[in-house]
Amino acid sequence: MTTAGPLDQHRERLRPEWIDYNGHLNVAYYLLVFDHATDTFFDHVGLDRAYRAESNCSTFAVETHVSYLRELQPDSEVRVTTQLLGFDEKRLHFFHNMYHAEEGFLSATNECLSLHVDMARRRVGPMPATLLARLGEVMTDHSDLAIPEQAGRAIALKRPKTA
C-alpha cells in the first residue's frame, strides 16, 4: 500500500436538519462529519466492526480539537482527508481536513487522539501486532507529509495584567 498524500476516502452531503439559524452548518455537525470520517479511516486500518466483534476491543476518543475556517452552506457536499500523525501500541493521533467537495476550499480541521480499549475491562490496552503493522504502513506513507498548520494548537487568551 502506498499513499501519496492523506487518505482521501470520505464524502458526505450535508443534511437540511444540520443547518442552523445562521443558515450554515451547525458546529455540532462538523464534528459528526469528522466522526464519520474517523469511522472510514478506522475501517481502512482494520479497526472495523469485524475487529471489534472478534477482539472485544474498540477505540475511545480522548481529545479532539476542531478549527472552523470557512462556513458551509446548505446542501453542500464535503470531502474529508485523513493523515496519521503518530501512534503507539495504545494510541492513535490523526488529523482530518474537511473541504467543500465542489469548490475545493478548506472549511474545517479536526485533530484527534484516540485510545485502544479492551471493552471487557473498560481499560486502555495494547493493539495486536497486525493492527500495529497496518498503522505502520500508513505512517510510512504519511511520514513525508507536512504537519498541518492547525495541529497541536491550544486555546488561550492572555490574561490581563493585574496591579
Side-chain angles (χ1 to χ4, degrees):
M1 176 192 84
T2 57
T3 305
L7 297 168
D8 189 357
Q9 300 175 321
H10 187 76
R11 303 281 185 286
E12 191 159 351
R13 183 157 300 277
L14 307 183
R15 298 177 187 178
E17 61 269 23
W18 296 352
I19 305 304
D20 66 16
Y21 51 80
N22 292 318
H24 59 211
L25 185 63
N26 180 274
V27 297
Y29 294 102
Y30 279 89
L31 193 55
L32 179 66
V33 173
F34 283 131
D35 193 48
H36 292 165
T38 296
D39 290 342
T40 301
F41 170 58
F42 284 174
D43 288 349
H44 178 77
V45 298
L47 282 163
D48 55 11
R49 185 177 299 215
Y51 171 77
R52 291 188 303 272
E54 292 168 12
S55 68
N56 198 29
C57 291
S58 188
T59 59
F60 287 6
V62 69
E63 189 167 351
T64 182
H65 296 208
V66 178
S67 294
Y68 304 95
L69 306 172
R70 187 166 166 191
E71 68 181 343
L72 290 167
Q73 303 298 319
D75 201 39
S76 296
E77 184 177 5
V78 296
R79 71 181 181 86
V80 180
T81 63
T82 306
Q83 179 179 346
L84 183 61
L85 299 178
F87 73 97
D88 61 25
E89 69 175 5
K90 298 178 183 178
R91 299 175 298 178
L92 296 101
H93 181 202
F94 54 98
F95 195 90
H96 296 301
N97 282 310
M98 182 185 299
Y99 298 93
H100 188 284
E102 295 160 4
E103 296 179 29
F105 63 80
L106 180 62
S107 176
T109 64
N110 178 221
E111 182 177 11
C112 305
L113 183 64
S114 290
L115 303 176
H116 185 262
V117 175
D118 178 329
M119 297 300 289
R121 296 181 22 229
R122 306 295 281 192
R123 298 277 185 236
V124 176
M127 290 180 263
T130 54
L131 209 57
L132 293 170
R134 179 73 171 141
L135 288 165
E137 291 173 8
V138 175
M139 192 72 243
T140 296
D141 290 343
H142 291 184
S143 63
D144 289 335
L145 299 176
I147 301 298
E149 178 184 334
Q150 291 82 12
R153 286 191 171 176
I155 298 173
L157 289 175
K158 289 186 178 182
R159 291 186 170 191
K161 294 182 180 182
T162 57

